[in-house]
Amino acid sequence: MTGMQKKTTQRESIRQVLCQATRPLSPQEILEKARRHAPSTGLATVYRAVKELQGESWIRAVELPGEPARYELASKPHHHHFYCRGCGKVFDLEGCPRNLARMVPKGFRMEEHEITIRGLCPNCSG
Ligand SMILES: [Zn+2]
Ligand SMILES: [Zn+2]
């Protein structure tokens, strides 16, 4: 395999990992999953691929204060997240509170919002 082919395979496996993910993944989590298909993948390759895929607006970052960003497909419909402080995993939540706009005082215009609920996932609360 040439170096170029190897890089393509690694990038493709990173792409696949993100496609198949059921929750936002950190670069470290992407690395662990990508290595199952392309064992020589390194963290630098993951960071590079993530940057490229984000530049192409194919994935977006889920930002959490004091945490490395997690990444998810940009095509996902609007949703929110649950952060487990036990295992550090981030999970998708469905739906959105309807009355958020009512919290915004008169004269202010809401443009976007993020909601992260923190707590323990079933694995960690048991
Ligand atoms: Zn957990
Ligand atoms: Zn919402």
Side-chain angles (χ1 to χ4, degrees):
M1 208 188 268
T2 69
M4 195 61 197
Q5 275 172 324
K6 207 171 181 180
K7 255 184 211 154
T8 312
T9 309
Q10 290 175 353
R11 198 185 127 107
E12 195 43 49
S13 77
I14 290 165
R15 209 183 242 278
Q16 258 179 37
V17 163
L18 285 156
C19 260
Q20 288 163 3
T22 53
R23 54 183 188 78
L25 298 176
S26 67
Q28 191 60 42
E29 288 174 318
I30 295 169
L31 177 66
E32 281 159 25
K33 289 176 197 286
R35 273 188 174 159
R36 290 181 205 157
H37 307 283
S40 60
T41 307
L43 196 54
T45 308
V46 172
Y47 276 112
R48 209 176 311 122
V50 157
K51 208 176 162 188
E52 281 171 19
L53 293 169
Q54 202 182 355
E56 294 161 15
S57 297
W58 194 77
I59 56 171
R60 68 171 159 239
V62 177
E63 306 281 0
L64 297 159
E67 284 284 318
R70 311 312 205 260
Y71 296 91
E72 65 182 7
L73 296 192
S75 58
K76 284 201 166 196
H78 179 78
H79 65 282
H80 296 290
H81 296 109
F82 187 101
Y83 172 78
C84 175
R85 63 173 174 80
C87 59
K89 286 178 183 163
V90 179
F91 300 88
D92 282 352
L93 300 176
E94 271 182 44
C96 179
R98 278 159 190 266
N99 48 7
L100 278 178
R102 271 191 249 154
M103 289 173 61
V104 179
K106 207 172 150 58
F108 289 78
R109 190 175 64 194
M110 182 168 92
E111 291 187 330
E112 55 185 301
H113 65 265
E114 285 164 27
I115 298 171
T116 305
I117 297 177
R118 291 168 180 266
L120 292 168
C121 77
N123 255 342
C124 296
S125 65

